[in-house]
Amino acid sequence: MSEHELRVSKIRDGTVIDHVESGQALNVLAILGIDGSEGLAVSVGMNVPSDRLGRKDIVKVEGRELSQSEVDVLSLIAPEATINIVREFEVVEKNRVTRPDGVSGVLSCPNRNCITNDDEPVETRFDVVADGVRCDYCSTILRDDIADHIDV
Ligand code: CTP
Ligand code: ZN
């Protein structure tokens, strides 16, 4: 890549979430619970040219790896994403996200009457369906607003 093309600098140790659907970078940060107050070095590229996607977003986080439940939720908003683990400037692991059958304990149900919103602690569980995710308890479907209901 030529000097003119380098938009976001390389990281030393951490995670690069690449091939994120354009427009989803801030939702990726929301899923990771990153708002800057953690003190981690974070770079975000938006609408960066991509051979595969035309345009893509990219998120680089120094000093942080992702949990499986974070990756599961990421796959719902960025199904083409690649998760690159970087150590000492080298990509040591590269994984495509895969759509899980369901996600437990990471999304909150928007239905105020849902049992998962009662005082009794009931862990949320959403099935992944064609057009979004569906609450196992009350069948409420989350579509475009998944990122607004992250509870990790
Ligand atoms: N990257 C980084 N810091 C590093 C190494 C890599 O920020 N020290 C970034 C690269 O800029 C790229 C991503 O991590 O966005 C993946 O790196 P690499 O596998 O080297 O790039 P590609 O081969 O282009 O990846 P792919 O085949 O997944 O498109
Ligand atoms: Zn519900």
Side-chain angles (χ1 to χ4, degrees):
M1 189 183 272
S2 83
E3 212 175 296
H4 295 114
E5 289 173 296
L6 187 63
R7 285 159 202 275
V8 187
S9 59
K10 302 247 168 203
I11 62 171
R12 178 175 191 144
D13 290 293
T15 305
V16 176
I17 303 144
D18 197 1
H19 307 114
V20 172
E21 190 178 318
S22 250
Q24 295 293 346
L26 294 180
N27 287 335
V28 168
L29 292 178
I31 288 167
L32 303 185
I34 291 172
D35 65 7
S37 63
E38 304 76 23
L40 300 173
V42 176
S43 314
V44 175
M46 290 184 187
N47 300 315
V48 177
S50 157
D51 291 343
R52 206 158 89 203
L53 302 175
R55 305 217 150 238
K56 67 176 181 182
D57 287 356
I58 184 165
V59 175
K60 303 187 181 192
V61 186
E62 287 265 12
R64 167 87 139 72
E65 296 195 359
L66 310 188
S67 68
Q68 188 56 50
S69 59
E70 287 171 330
V71 174
D72 283 349
V73 182
L74 275 181
S75 74
L76 303 176
I77 63 151
E80 303 291 320
T82 318
I83 313 284
N84 299 277
I85 313 278
V86 176
R87 295 213 180 97
E88 279 300 320
F89 294 106
E90 298 293 328
V91 174
V92 295
E93 199 179 317
K94 181 189 292 284
N95 292 303
R96 281 285 290 273
V97 299
T98 54
R99 234 169 132 73
D101 296 333
V103 288
S104 297
V106 292
L107 296 173
S108 60
C109 183
N111 172 10
R112 282 201 287 138
N113 296 319
C114 180
I115 188 170
T116 60
N117 290 319
D118 270 359
D119 291 341
E120 291 296 317
V122 176
E123 192 181 55
T124 60
R125 162 91 197 169
F126 286 80
D127 281 333
V128 175
V129 293
D131 55 348
V133 296
R134 186 181 55 215
C135 178
D136 252 18
Y137 295 96
C138 72
S139 299
T140 297
I141 293 192
L142 287 174
R143 291 186 180 86
D144 301 330
D145 49 352
I146 288 173
D148 296 331
H149 294 91
I150 293 151
D151 201 16
V152 272

